[in-house]
Amino acid sequence: MQQLSPADLHILLVEPSDTQRKIISRHLKMEQVQHISEANSVSSAFLQISEHQPDLIACALHFADGTALDLLQKIKQQPALSEIPFMLVSSETRKATLEEFKQSGVVAILPKPFTTAHLGKALNAAIDLLSPSELELSLFDVHDIRVLVVDDSRLARNHIKRVLSNLGIQHLTEAEDGQQAIEILKQQMFDLVVTDYNMPEVNGRELTQYIRENSQQSHIPVLMVTSEANDTHLSNIAQSGVNAMCDKPFEPELVKALLFKLLEQ
């Protein structure tokens, strides 16, 4: 598949402020985006999306008739719309609020104000989802790799599976939490485990410790997906035997590089 460019994208910009819409549109055009539609409310945005699906939705957080999370949830409930990449554009910094979006499978969270680098990275993440590029390995056939995806959020699992499928990985098994993952690991063999950190029952660190200390598959590479930013906490996670860590949103290009490193070593 030919790689897309920002000029190929049709973006729906959902922003209640006329001034902010003009500013963001200008930045998008500077990145060569040519097709930009606009909406100023959750209801008008959903109507536009239903009538003509954009390639990417760039959405502010607060509106008179709801929030970006309301719009995102409505989209995810519609199978025909559920895979449209969604980018939050917000000055929000509260961890709990942003965590809801990270768990919902957004492609990027763009801060206000954002830099050209921020915007370029977010657009590239959307393009990577829309124009898949298989992972090329010398030691494995990527189509044969068996991956266990562990996350208590169904939407997050769906996003991770989509990214991995785009890389050519076909054998994907899901677990809703660490405890379920342990039971699956007792029955099946895997080449890679991709796990969230924050989960009920058994979290990602505890799952990794089980794999390293009690599993018959103690050698499996583990990629931890975490929203934790505390350096001490990250150090504790790393000491549990995790091979690599990446943040949510689960960025395709970074994941591709990490998987190449994990599977080719």
Side-chain angles (χ1 to χ4, degrees):
M1 180 181 293
Q2 185 176 1
Q3 182 72 11
L4 297 175
S5 72
D8 299 314
L9 298 178
H10 170 212
I11 296 180
L12 175 61
L13 173 58
V14 192
E15 166 62 60
S17 163
D18 292 342
T19 301
Q20 285 295 316
R21 282 201 307 278
K22 290 177 182 177
I23 292 173
I24 297 171
S25 290
R26 185 173 73 248
H27 281 284
L28 288 170
K29 289 173 182 175
M30 289 171 63
E31 292 295 314
Q32 309 305 315
V33 177
Q34 300 173 9
H35 310 288
I36 305 170
S37 300
E38 297 182 359
N40 60 10
S41 68
V42 170
S43 56
S44 63
F46 188 72
L47 181 61
Q48 284 196 52
I49 295 164
S50 301
E51 292 178 346
H52 182 69
Q53 294 184 29
D55 298 310
L56 171 65
I57 300 165
C59 187
L61 180 54
H62 296 292
F63 300 87
D65 62 343
T67 68
L69 194 60
D70 296 326
L71 178 59
L72 179 58
Q73 289 172 343
K74 289 181 71 172
I75 293 168
K76 293 296 184 183
Q77 290 168 2
Q78 303 292 322
L81 309 176
S82 62
E83 292 197 347
I84 301 173
F86 191 102
M87 175 171 66
L88 178 68
V89 186
S90 174
S91 57
E92 179 64 69
T93 57
R94 287 174 294 181
K95 181 179 175 181
T97 301
L98 295 178
E99 187 68 19
E100 289 185 287
F101 288 94
K102 291 181 178 183
Q103 296 294 348
S104 297
V106 296
V107 69
I109 297 177
L110 199 60
K112 282 183 181 177
F114 54 80
T115 65
T116 300
H118 287 143
L119 181 56
K121 184 178 180 182
L123 292 175
N124 285 335
I127 288 171
D128 287 337
L129 277 184
L130 295 167
S131 56
S133 173
E134 282 196 359
L135 179 64
E136 295 183 3
L137 301 170
S138 59
L139 301 179
F140 291 90
D141 182 338
V142 70
H143 301 136
D144 294 334
I145 293 173
R146 301 156 298 176
V147 180
L148 177 60
V149 177
V150 191
D151 200 304
D152 57 316
S153 164
R154 178 181 59 82
L155 293 177
R157 288 199 309 274
N158 287 345
H159 181 65
I160 291 170
K161 288 192 303 175
R162 182 182 181 188
V163 172
L164 295 176
S165 295
N166 283 354
L167 294 177
I169 296 173
Q170 300 175 355
H171 302 290
L172 295 163
T173 302
E174 295 180 59
E176 296 179 0
D177 56 42
Q179 185 57 54
Q180 188 179 56
I182 288 172
E183 298 306 315
I184 293 173
L185 285 163
K186 291 177 181 177
Q187 304 296 324
Q188 299 181 48
M189 300 295 290
F190 294 94
D191 301 300
L192 174 69
V193 174
V194 179
T195 180
D196 187 23
Y197 173 74
N198 287 306
M199 296 181 292
E201 302 296 332
V202 175
N203 66 29
R205 181 178 59 81
E206 293 163 339
L207 171 60
T208 304
Q209 287 177 328
Y210 166 81
I211 291 171
R212 297 292 177 245
E213 298 171 8
N214 304 106
S215 169
Q216 297 299 312
Q217 306 180 62
S218 59
H219 62 285
I220 309 176
V222 176
L223 172 58
M224 179 79 75
V225 185
T226 176
S227 303
E228 300 294 332
N230 182 284
D231 288 341
T232 301
H233 195 58
L234 290 175
S235 176
N236 291 336
I237 294 173
Q239 289 175 13
S240 68
V242 171
N243 297 89
M245 286 182 282
C246 66
D247 196 7
K248 289 183 178 179
F250 197 64
E251 296 178 10
E253 193 59 33
L254 173 60
V255 170
K256 187 175 183 179
L258 286 174
L259 292 189
F260 183 86
K261 182 178 179 181
L262 288 177
L263 297 171
E264 288 288 85
Q265 58 181 310

